[in-house]
Amino acid sequence: MYEKTFPNKRFKHTLEFLRKHIGTTESILDLGVKNPFSDIMISEGYSVENTTGEDLDEDHSTIKNSSAEVITAFEIFEHLLSPYEVLKSIKAEKLVISIPMRLWFASAYRSKTDKWDRHYHEFEDWQLDWLLEKTGWQIMDRQKWTNPVKKFGIRPLLRQFTPRYYIVYAERVKNFKN
């Protein structure tokens, strides 16, 4: 299914990484509203519940009240003002998070038509790693990949070999004081 769904390379890598670390018997709370990738996870046999569009900077109740064993957050943390507070509020023991990486040759994304579709944070890998460490998570695996585009120019050329996406599997540090 993901091969016919835009953006297929990102979905393919994300699904392979998820399969490597999370079994279909584990329940998942996917941060963000239902989306094409949550549909892919369901079609692959995962039990997935999504948040409902609440402002996760202000309202952590769904996260705190969830009994899910795994939290997934695919390309959502860059939109939050305070991902630190969201990460601290997670009770699950496992986390899979992906972010678009900050590109030195491109400015932060900001939609001209949608006031919510913008990136407040554009992380480098070390920044996400540090954020996870400070909030009680231990990174068990990580991966990066590029996102080439079919255009001509300097930026499209740089996208051929500059990693654009970063995905992490982390587990809660035992006895971490929240």
Side-chain angles (χ1 to χ4, degrees):
M1 175 177 172
Y2 62 84
E3 285 145 9
K4 295 180 182 173
T5 307
F6 176 81
N8 60 2
K9 182 177 182 180
R10 186 179 78 197
F11 287 176
K12 178 179 179 274
H13 283 292
T14 302
L15 184 60
E16 288 170 0
F17 192 86
L18 185 69
R19 282 181 183 149
K20 181 178 177 183
H21 298 288
I22 307 301
T24 56
T25 60
E26 297 175 274
S27 58
I28 295 174
L29 174 63
D30 185 32
L31 303 185
V33 297
K34 192 171 180 181
N35 59 74
F37 193 74
S38 52
D39 289 339
I40 289 170
M41 288 190 292
I42 291 167
S43 74
E44 292 291 321
Y46 289 97
S47 173
V48 180
E49 176 188 347
N50 285 83
T51 53
T52 58
E54 64 270 31
D55 183 343
L56 294 176
D57 281 315
E58 298 289 335
D59 183 358
H60 304 148
S61 59
T62 302
I63 298 168
K64 287 179 180 176
N65 296 327
S66 175
S67 60
E69 299 160 278
V70 179
I71 300 292
T72 58
F74 302 118
E75 287 88 55
I76 189 168
F77 274 40
E78 66 276 8
H79 300 279
L80 299 176
L81 298 177
S82 187
Y84 179 88
E85 295 300 327
V86 171
L87 286 166
K88 294 227 5 145
S89 70
I90 295 172
K91 293 187 176 165
E93 298 293 318
K94 296 179 180 182
L95 173 68
V96 180
I97 178 173
S98 65
I99 56 164
M101 294 180 63
R102 181 179 173 275
L103 298 175
W104 57 270
F105 55 86
S107 58
Y109 174 73
R110 181 177 174 189
S111 172
K112 293 179 177 28
T113 58
D114 183 344
K115 72 177 187 169
W116 298 108
D117 189 17
R118 50 183 73 164
H119 292 181
Y120 185 77
H121 296 281
E122 293 240 331
F123 295 94
E124 293 183 36
D125 56 355
W126 69 268
Q127 291 171 307
L128 181 63
D129 293 354
W130 188 28
L131 178 62
L132 290 168
E133 178 186 322
K134 286 194 60 103
T135 55
W137 295 95
Q138 180 178 2
I139 297 172
M140 309 305 284
D141 193 11
R142 57 177 60 100
Q143 184 180 9
K144 296 178 195 175
W145 66 88
T146 60
N147 187 42
V149 294
K150 295 178 181 177
K151 296 180 181 177
F152 294 103
I154 297 295
R155 285 184 183 182
L157 176 64
L158 293 171
R159 288 181 186 271
Q160 297 291 323
F161 56 87
T162 304
R164 176 61 172 148
Y165 292 100
Y166 182 50
I167 193 166
V168 170
Y169 167 63
E171 294 180 358
R172 175 68 70 194
V173 173
K174 303 294 181 215
N175 301 320
F176 183 80
K177 294 185 180 178
N178 256 352

